[in-house]
Amino acid sequence: QVQLVESGGGLVQPGGSLRLSCAISRNSLNFDNMGWYRQAPGKQRESVAQIPRDGFANYADSVNGRFSISRSIGRNTVYLQMNSLKPEDTGVYYCHAYRQADYWGQGTQVTVSS
């Protein structure tokens, strides 16, 4: 069974940084795609950053240039480095993986507020 466990969320002031981690119970190269989604209160879940097997990442326009997705050398952890955070980045961040099925983590709360 595939398990994804996120960590690294918290409260940060506008302009600050956080790094989210997603520990995966299986080698991430086994997946066709891995990524991060977020869901703000009262809004639908949206894609934030994706990294397919070929390693070419893509980002939502709202975070491009501020966020960076990467995989660990050991390939079993996916990171989301978030810089220049804004209040509108607040939400629950979910790690996602896909290979013949969708796999989700439990989510980690990110709150950007002064």
Side-chain angles (χ1 to χ4, degrees), residues 17-38:
S17 297
L18 283 175
R19 188 175 81 156
L20 305 183
S21 300
C22 175
I24 309 154
S25 61
R26 187 178 296 176
N27 189 321
S28 64
L29 287 178
N30 290 333
F31 297 101
D32 297 315
N33 188 76
M34 303 213 52
W36 289 91
Y37 289 74
R38 69 185 179 192

Side-chain angles (χ1 to χ4, degrees), residues 1 10 28 36 55 67 69 86 89 96 101:
Q1 184 174 350
S28 64
W36 289 91
F67 290 12
I69 187 171
K86 304 176 181 180
D89 294 318
H96 171 261

Side-chain angles (χ1 to χ4, degrees), residues 9-71:
L11 173 64
V12 63
Q13 292 186 343
S17 297
L18 283 175
R19 188 175 81 156
L20 305 183
S21 300
C22 175
I24 309 154
S25 61
R26 187 178 296 176
N27 189 321
S28 64
L29 287 178
N30 290 333
F31 297 101
D32 297 315
N33 188 76
M34 303 213 52
W36 289 91
Y37 289 74
R38 69 185 179 192
Q39 188 166 18
K43 295 187 177 181
Q44 290 187 332
R45 190 174 298 188
E46 62 175 354
S47 173
V48 174
Q50 306 294 322
I51 185 165
R53 190 191 302 274
D54 62 12
F56 286 95
N58 58 88
Y59 301 92
D61 289 343
S62 59
V63 307
N64 198 21
R66 300 188 296 121
F67 290 12
S68 178
I69 187 171
S70 61
R71 289 188 294 239

